[in-house]
Amino acid sequence: MAGGVKVNAEVRDLTRIERIGAHSHIRGLGLDDALEARVVSQGMVGQTKARKAAGVILNMIREGKIAGRAVLLAGQPGSGKTAIAMGMAKALGEETPFAMMAASEIFSLEMSKTEALTQAFRKAIGVRIKEETEIIEGEVVEIEIDRPEGGSAAKQGKLTLKTTEMETIYDLGTKMIESLHKEKVSAGDIIAIDKASGKVTKLGRSFARSRDYDAMGPATKFVQCPEGELQKRKEVVHVVTLHEIDVINSRTQGFLALFSGDTGEIRAEVREQIDAKVAEWREEGKAEIVPGVLFIDEVHMLDIECFSYLNRALENDMAPILVVATNRGITRIRGTNYRSPHGIPIDLLDRLLIISTEPYSEKEIRQILDIRCEEEDVEMTDDARELLTKIGHETSLRYAIQLITAASIVCQRRKGTEVDVEDISKVYSLFVDVKRSTQFLIEYQEQYMFNEVPEVAEAAQGEAPAEGMEVST
């Protein structure tokens, strides 16, 4: 790229190791084309109003024309706020940047709070860069590799590629042979070679080889043999975030800083140069801005300085869509003695579109537990599911979900194939919920150190609690 600003557009193939997490069952928002929320879809259950509202925000993000809008997901603990944010991330796909952070993270980083928020904002703004490149695309007819006996000499070889109209033989060097070996290219594969970088991409298997059953696997993709010339010009589109461009241009080790995590504070001059260059690319039609989403969970943990920064940052024309979540009611704004709804200053609340989540009904808890049993691959009887649903309704959904795997392990210990009521009862007695734990503390308060329960009891009888002490019910 011209102008001295570097963009690393290398495509890296990663093997994902999937683990079962709290929201790994979420596949999207579960909306139809008319933005109506299905009752159960894509791992989402209930919260139809909140999901429909999130779908409207989603359309706004996809159009990419409106910057600096902010959304607040407010609701009780365990009412699906983070699940809705995860659903938005899945529905947007890989192309749209989606950055997630917990508000308390900014206080533990070795940089200023405003710098941490600036980096988070720029992680959520993508730049779609278009450039033309020359590629060689064709079907592999034959690969010949000469391996010297001594082992010290460089490998050499020949690659025969063809299209529907022509066939050519290319000489191979050591680097290209290694690339072909890494991609496991064999005769009958359709490949593309980037002439500038030498990167080899396997596009699939030729339809002419569809009967070669020995060379097939369950994920084999068949494509047509390319037409026309072997060498052709192709427009390649890369999507990188502004933060990635910042890091590449602010560190001597370039894009390696992205992997080491040692980004540190980035100078304002670097960002100004990058913004100017990106604006120039936009005017020339080489790039376009992709406004993404910045999701800040537990936003009440931010202090008054951070809220002031957010107010200013949302006015920038390069700002992403900001989605924040909180489970607090009327509480103190961190860094002040003032109280406000959700612990957020009133001037910032004015800017927010507020989406409220509601507690799940017993029927919805049952549906969520069914989905989680399937996700965690646990077989459970209907009676056990009914008991678990009752536990979730009387205690909390999160507690009930935590019991699924624990009950499965207890079931395996007794050589059972399905989790039954006795397994649920066993883990219910082993692991206590918040209510039972609190009751235990009240009963045995004298045996604990630094006990302050008597003061809470006095406060409940009409006396004011000690300064700085919160009383939760």
Side-chain angles (χ1 to χ4, degrees):
M1 289 290 174
V5 174
K6 296 171 284 182
V7 177
N8 177 53
E10 181 185 352
V11 179
R12 294 179 294 276
D13 295 326
L14 300 177
T15 303
R16 294 185 178 273
I17 301 173
E18 293 293 344
R19 295 187 68 197
I20 298 169
H23 299 101
S24 57
H25 62 284
I26 304 293
R27 308 281 183 266
L29 283 173
L31 303 173
D32 59 19
D33 294 336
L35 293 182
E36 292 294 333
R38 302 185 188 97
V39 179
V40 181
S41 180
Q42 295 182 318
M44 299 292 285
V45 176
Q47 304 294 356
T48 52
K49 285 184 182 177
R51 285 195 282 141
K52 187 173 180 179
V56 174
I57 300 297
L58 208 63
N59 273 12
M60 191 166 71
I61 297 164
R62 282 179 179 144
E63 288 176 7
K65 295 176 182 175
I66 302 173
R69 294 298 170 93
V71 181
L72 170 65
L73 295 170
Q76 300 172 2
S79 58
K81 298 181 295 297
T82 308
I84 289 172
M86 292 295 293
M88 290 175 72
K90 296 284 185 181
L92 284 169
E94 298 291 330
E95 285 282 292
T96 307
F98 191 99
M100 296 184 71
M101 67 179 296
S104 52
E105 282 180 38
I106 67 167
F107 299 103
S108 58
L109 298 172
E110 293 179 356
M111 62 180 78
S112 68
K113 292 177 284 190
T114 51
E115 172 66 19
L117 284 171
T118 303
Q119 290 192 13
F121 262 74
R122 291 175 78 86
K123 283 177 187 175
I125 304 167
V127 183
R128 188 180 287 119
I129 301 166
K130 304 169 188 172
E131 59 183 357
E132 281 196 348
T133 183
E134 284 198 5
I135 63 165
I136 301 169
E137 190 175 273
E139 179 183 336
V140 178
V141 179
E142 189 181 13
I143 302 176
E144 294 180 12
I145 298 173
D146 300 326
R147 291 183 173 83
E149 290 182 8
S152 57
K155 294 178 185 175
Q156 291 182 331
K158 294 183 184 297
L159 171 68
T160 308
L161 287 177
K162 72 167 185 178
T163 65
T164 54
E165 298 176 13
M166 62 183 293
E167 185 173 310
T168 307
I169 299 174
Y170 294 94
D171 291 325
L172 299 176
T174 307
K175 186 180 176 183
M176 188 58 68
I177 290 170
E178 286 175 0
S179 297
L180 291 169
H181 181 70
K182 182 183 174 185
E183 290 293 324
K184 298 178 181 175
V185 173
S186 60
D189 289 336
I190 308 291
I191 64 169
I193 303 171
D194 188 331
K195 284 188 73 175
S197 64
K199 179 175 174 59
V200 178
T201 307
K202 188 155 73 170
L203 305 176
R205 194 104 180 119
S206 172
F207 270 112
R209 303 293 185 112
S210 60
R211 294 186 180 277
D212 294 353
Y213 300 112
D214 292 340
M216 285 170 55
T220 303
K221 178 184 173 186
F222 291 101
V223 292
Q224 295 284 2
C225 182
E227 298 177 351
E229 298 281 328
L230 273 164
Q231 292 192 37
K232 54 191 79 170
R233 294 188 69 82
K234 195 172 184 179
E235 188 180 74
V236 179
V237 178
H238 316 289
V239 178
V240 291
T241 66
L242 282 177
H243 176 67
E244 288 171 343
I245 302 176
D246 291 346
V247 173
I248 292 164
N249 288 277
S250 68
R251 290 286 175 272
T252 52
Q253 67 264 43
F255 73 92
L256 292 176
L258 289 170
F259 302 105
S260 66
D262 181 27
T263 57
E265 297 214 7
I266 297 168
R267 299 192 313 277
E269 307 87 69
V270 173
R271 289 200 175 108
E272 285 171 10
Q273 289 175 4
I274 289 166
D275 289 347
K277 181 54 63 177
V278 170
E280 187 182 315
W281 290 341
R282 287 169 70 187
E283 287 177 10
E284 293 172 1
K286 290 181 180 177
E288 58 185 81
I289 296 296
V290 185
V293 179
L294 172 60
F295 175 61
I296 304 178
D297 207 356
E298 308 293 339
V299 71
H300 54 266
M301 293 300 295
L302 295 178
D303 61 14
I304 192 69
E305 296 168 13
C306 297
F307 287 127
S308 298
Y309 173 85
L310 290 181
N311 260 327
R312 176 67 190 88
L314 287 171
E315 293 174 354
N316 194 327
D317 62 346
M318 295 268 275
I321 302 291
L322 177 67
V323 179
V324 297
T326 180
N327 55 22
R328 298 297 168 95
I330 296 173
T331 187
R332 188 171 63 86
I333 302 168
R334 189 168 178 174
T336 73
N337 291 322
Y338 297 102
R339 292 161 69 87
S340 74
H342 312 298
I344 301 171
I346 298 297
D347 57 343
L348 181 58
L349 272 175
D350 277 345
R351 294 177 183 267
L352 301 176
L353 292 169
I354 301 175
I355 299 174
S356 183
T357 57
E358 300 169 353
Y360 288 110
S361 67
E362 198 164 341
K363 182 183 176 183
E364 288 169 346
I365 290 173
R366 170 63 189 264
Q367 291 169 332
I368 293 168
L369 291 173
D370 287 344
I371 291 169
R372 290 302 304 180
C373 285
E374 186 179 341
E375 179 73 12
E376 297 179 29
D377 199 19
V378 173
E379 295 291 332
M380 191 177 292
T381 64
D382 284 342
D383 290 341
R385 293 187 189 212
E386 284 297 328
L387 177 58
L388 198 58
T389 303
K390 187 179 178 184
I391 291 170
H393 187 63
E394 292 179 356
T395 57
S396 73
L397 174 62
R398 288 172 176 168
Y399 174 68
I401 289 173
Q402 301 282 10
L403 295 183
I404 293 173
T405 303
S408 175
I409 292 168
V410 170
C411 175
Q412 289 170 15
R413 295 285 293 177
R414 66 171 179 84
K415 303 291 191 292
T417 55
E418 278 188 317
V419 173
D420 211 340
V421 172
E422 60 183 282
D423 302 314
I424 300 293
S425 301
K426 178 74 173 175
V427 293
Y428 182 75
S429 63
L430 288 173
F431 305 103
V432 296
D433 58 276
V434 175
K435 289 180 182 177
R436 284 184 291 159
S437 178
T438 306
Q439 187 61 39
F440 181 86
L441 288 174
I442 291 170
E443 289 177 12
Y444 298 96
Q445 53 185 290
E446 296 85 2
Q447 299 176 26
Y448 285 85
M449 294 179 65
F450 308 115
N451 175 56
E452 294 182 352
V453 173
E455 293 182 35
V456 177
E458 289 170 13
Q461 294 171 3
E463 297 185 18
E467 186 180 353
M469 192 176 106
E470 290 188 6
V471 180
S472 59
T473 56

